[in-house]
Amino acid sequence: MGEDPSSSQMSEDDDRSPPLDPISSNKARNCSGSGCPSSSSSSSTDYIIPYPDQVLENVLENVLCFLTARQDRNAASLVCKSWYRAEALTRSELFIGNCYAVSPRRATDRFSRVRAVSIKGKPRFADFNLMPAHWGAHFGPWVSAMAKAYPWLEKVYLKRMSVTDDDLALLAESFPGFKELVLVCCDGFGTSGLAVVASKCRQLRVLDLIESEVIDDDVDWICCFPESQTCLESLMFDCVECHVNFEALERLVIRSPSLKKLRLNRYVSIGQLHHLMVRAPQLTHLGTGSFSSSEGNAQGDQELDCVSAFAACKSIVCLSGFKEIFVDQLPAIYPVCANLTNLNFSYANISAEQLKPVIRNCHKLQTFWVLDSVCDEGLKAVAATCKELRELRVFPVDPREDIEGPVSEIGFQAISEGCRKLQSILYFCQRMTNEAVKAMSRNCPDLVVFRLCIMGRHRPDHVTGESMDEGFGAIVMNCKKLTRLAVSGLLTDQAFSYIGQYGKLVRTLSVAFAGDSDMALQYVLEGCPKLQKLEIRDSPFGDSALRSGLHHYYNMRFLWMSSCLLTRQGCRDIARALPRLVVEVIKSDQQQVETGEYVDILYMYRSLDGQRDDIPKFVDIL
Amino acid sequence: MDSKSYDNDLNLNLKATELRLGLPGSDASEDQAVPVPSSALNKKRALPEKSEEVIGSKGNTDDAEKITAPPAKAQIVGWPPVRSYRKNCLQANKISEAETPGIYVKVSMDGAPYLRKIDLKVYKGYPDLLKALESMFKFIVGQYSEREGYKGSDYAPTYEDKDGDWMLVGDVPWEMFMSSCKKLRIMKGSEARGLGCGV
């Protein structure tokens, strides 16, 4: 999930079930009881009687303004109709965890004074090409509704949504005070869309494009920012795979005195990076672009200057980029290492020897993303220095299954021993042992996110030959704060029994090529009351397992099951039992006419507004 | 490590429970050509999968690959779960390294009976190159300084550049050297010292 570290908190925290029906209107309004306005309570009305209800609501509104957390607001809105209304009027940040759970109309009707909107679209497995193209998650209907309802909209955050250039144009035209646009894993738009945003959003402070696919329309969007001083604080375009006009970029940086975060794409050479850094020594977050030279540039002077450029940027705490790293230049970053809290080397194919001189200075590092090219030895070096490490992600240079991997249980265990404050880990490897996983469960009790990807399917503990059940069991048993878990390797139903028994806080669970029978899924659905997001692929779970979750599906954001043993009838049974659930059966191969016995993909989610109206041909809603 | 024989060695018949999904034309499609009976998936590991058992028994993977085409474990859609954006970034770097041909230059040493040829792309920089030359021709190169060239040695590494001039190795940035070097010559004795003194 190569997500931007700074936005990782957006993927946590779900709201509880929205009230399924607005509380039916009734003349009596009081503040006691839970939404049944018919009964009156003498104790509270004794206070209120001299004052009109309107005053009370005004008071409420003023108090509710201080409630910012989503869960708190949802709770407040359930107290009674009066609180529901007051809360709806004062909610300024709207979070839509599944764009199809509620229609734009309903959302804008209920919340009328929204300034910031976050919308998430496709399920995560879509990132790995498991979802056919053009499935949905269109931003269009949302921006149209918001253009009318929220003229004072300031911020839009989208994740895995399909956004068109027209959508961006409408956004740019409709919201005069627009300040922040963050697009994570989105697609469907190009540099023309960016150009409109750049030119029309005069108050723009943040334009962050993170791992999104941007079409190269040959438009010089950097040139489209207004010629005067800009309010830009953050400009991240490292995922934009097209040339940018460097002179325009340099001028933009010069006239953006508030710019703190700048992430360049790989078309910016190290020489150009140097120029920009000299212009913006106040940067706190820097994405270095290619970190190598374009052909034929003189190198000698640049090397020295880069060191001084980094030395001059005393505020850098977050460093990323290195998309085509020229390793000789790596020493240039030494001056900033001691202050770094966040370092992303996950595009830099460097060895342990090349990592060591950098990492041994990074005492304050809290987030570290790296490629497995650094080997177990590199990870040991991390463990030796980075005592404050909270999040580690180790990605594979070569993401294939049957090869010798450079990292293993050795590096994993070293990390667990050195980085005791670890809260989040994503680790790709070819071999692992239960022993090492158990060690991490004991050494790192603060773990909230544990994602281990043993790349060979069904691969057992490579020392004992046993399944990985005990290792993952230890994780759920010992890591009492665990909310997100991804499992891999050879796993029997026992592993899932552990998860159901001990994973009481687990909200997100990711399963692939695991389990023996329906019991595995049943353990989880019956045992994990907080489960919100469940994604399963290629596991032998059938209709009866699906039925065992009927009591819980309304509490979940979604369930994804692909290449399992679900029949159409089984899915239909669920759809019949739970009318507020949208049950999508998706064909993964659009050419295929004849459907086999089992459903390719089941994607189901609760919704207040029933079936969506933009279903492509390969989707059936049961 | 061959995972197919590994699976068979453990007698797990994991292939029988393996569910695969591939689009036509993808690597997995050849596996799909042999339909796994649905009953096999329900009975855990009861039925062996035909293609594997008939052909691909322990250690015979080469034959298996020739006969049935599917490799030990066909690439599965979306596995391992790495985003295509990330994969493409790394691929791009690999390809650019692999495709550009090496820069081969002749290396001669005064007094040596024959020349050698080296690929400059293999070396990360001057220290790397000089170490390789030292070991290849069994000599020591001395301490480099901009002012005095290679001090403390009878040898000086030189190269002929695009203009046909003989230059001292180490004066220009490495990248520039790589693109302008036509051949190398390790000078010896008085000639070497003469160049080093700077005219």
Side-chain angles (χ1 to χ4, degrees), chain A residues 481-544:
Chain A
K481 304 179 190 172
L482 197 74
T483 61
R484 183 171 178 183
L485 180 64
V487 300
S488 62
L490 180 65
L491 294 171
T492 71
D493 290 350
Q494 180 60 49
F496 296 92
S497 164
Y498 286 140
I499 296 173
Q501 212 180 332
Y502 298 103
K504 296 305 176 189
L505 297 183
V506 170
R507 287 158 23 138
T508 307
L509 179 62
S510 197
V511 178
F513 305 100
D516 298 330
S517 75
D518 285 353
M519 280 317 296
L521 181 53
Q522 193 170 330
Y523 288 138
V524 169
L525 290 170
E526 287 176 354
C528 301
K530 299 278 187 186
L531 194 61
Q532 295 275 305
K533 301 183 255 185
L534 181 54
E535 46 189 30
I536 302 173
R537 64 168 293 182
D538 295 86
S539 300
F541 307 144
D543 299 337
S544 101

Side-chain angles (χ1 to χ4, degrees), chain A residues 198-202 222-230 252 255:
Chain A
S199 71
K200 295 205 176 165
C201 300
R202 298 265 149 167
I222 292 281
C223 294
C224 296
F225 282 94
E227 279 305 314
S228 55
Q229 282 218 332
T230 75
L252 178 64
R255 64 182 193 279

Side-chain angles (χ1 to χ4, degrees), chain A residues 165-197:
Chain A
D165 289 331
D166 288 340
D167 296 337
L168 292 176
L170 184 58
L171 182 147
E173 279 153 19
S174 311
F175 310 117
F178 196 74
K179 297 199 173 104
E180 296 185 18
L181 181 63
V182 179
L183 302 177
V184 180
C185 300
C186 296
D187 60 10
F189 64 100
T191 44
S192 348
L194 295 180
V196 182
V197 171

Side-chain angles (χ1 to χ4, degrees), chain A residues 479-616:
Chain A
C479 301
K480 311 250 190 285
K481 304 179 190 172
L482 197 74
T483 61
R484 183 171 178 183
L485 180 64
V487 300
S488 62
L490 180 65
L491 294 171
T492 71
D493 290 350
Q494 180 60 49
F496 296 92
S497 164
Y498 286 140
I499 296 173
Q501 212 180 332
Y502 298 103
K504 296 305 176 189
L505 297 183
V506 170
R507 287 158 23 138
T508 307
L509 179 62
S510 197
V511 178
F513 305 100
D516 298 330
S517 75
D518 285 353
M519 280 317 296
L521 181 53
Q522 193 170 330
Y523 288 138
V524 169
L525 290 170
E526 287 176 354
C528 301
K530 299 278 187 186
L531 194 61
Q532 295 275 305
K533 301 183 255 185
L534 181 54
E535 46 189 30
I536 302 173
R537 64 168 293 182
D538 295 86
S539 300
F541 307 144
D543 299 337
S544 101
L546 197 61
R547 266 194 293 281
S548 68
L550 279 170
H551 66 288
H552 189 62
Y553 294 136
Y554 276 157
N555 295 331
M556 289 178 64
R557 193 183 291 178
F558 71 79
L559 169 65
W560 166 292
M561 288 177 70
S562 59
S563 304
C564 297
L565 304 177
L566 302 174
T567 66
R568 218 176 160 80
Q569 187 54 48
C571 298
R572 202 173 282 122
D573 291 346
I574 303 294
R576 290 222 181 95
L578 300 175
R580 296 270 188 182
L581 213 60
V582 174
V583 178
E584 294 196 13
V585 166
I586 305 169
K587 264 201 291 229
S588 54
D589 174 6
Q590 302 180 41
Q591 269 73 54
Q592 198 184 344
V593 176
E594 198 54 45
T595 41
E597 182 183 343
Y598 298 121
V599 150
D600 286 346
I601 301 170
L602 166 69
Y603 180 55
M604 60 191 211
Y605 49 90
R606 66 188 172 195
S607 173
L608 291 177
D609 289 298
Q611 270 195 31
R612 55 190 175 110
D613 53 12
D614 58 358
I615 310 167

Side-chain angles (χ1 to χ4, degrees), chain A residues 99-164:
Chain A
C99 63
Y100 288 124
V102 61
S103 69
R105 175 66 189 274
R106 184 186 288 262
T108 53
D109 280 351
R110 176 174 169 185
F111 301 105
S112 52
R113 298 188 193 160
V114 166
R115 298 277 166 129
V117 170
S118 299
I119 310 174
K120 294 189 177 182
K122 291 172 239 181
R124 199 179 71 96
F125 272 6
D127 290 352
F128 314 122
N129 302 330
L130 290 177
M131 179 80 100
H134 311 299
W135 169 80
H138 303 288
F139 183 47
W142 287 92
V143 68
S144 305
M146 294 191 302
K148 299 187 199 103
Y150 304 143
W152 307 117
L153 192 67
E154 293 178 355
K155 304 183 192 181
V156 168
Y157 170 101
L158 301 178
K159 186 166 186 180
R160 292 194 191 97
M161 295 287 290
S162 278
V163 182
T164 64

Side-chain angles (χ1 to χ4, degrees), chain A residues 1-2 127-128 160 211 238-239 323-324 326 328 346-347 399 402 428 455 457 516 537-538 563 589 597, chain B residues 3 6 18-19 21 23-24 38 42 45 73-74 76-81 83 85-86 89 93 124 173 175:
Chain A
M1 137 163 182
D127 290 352
F128 314 122
R160 292 194 191 97
E211 296 201 26
D238 46 333
C239 61
K323 296 276 173 109
E324 289 170 5
F326 183 43
D328 283 5
S346 66
Y347 296 102
D402 297 315
F428 282 85
M455 288 190 269
R457 284 166 283 155
D516 298 330
R537 64 168 293 182
D538 295 86
S563 304
D589 174 6
E597 182 183 343
Chain B
S3 56
Y6 181 95
E18 199 160 286
L19 295 157
L21 189 69
L23 303 175
S38 54
N42 283 331
R45 306 175 188 132
K73 268 203 174 144
I76 294 303
V77 176
W79 188 263
R83 286 207 185 117
Y85 171 71
R86 189 171 285 282
C89 274
N93 294 348
K124 298 197 191 98
E175 303 277 359

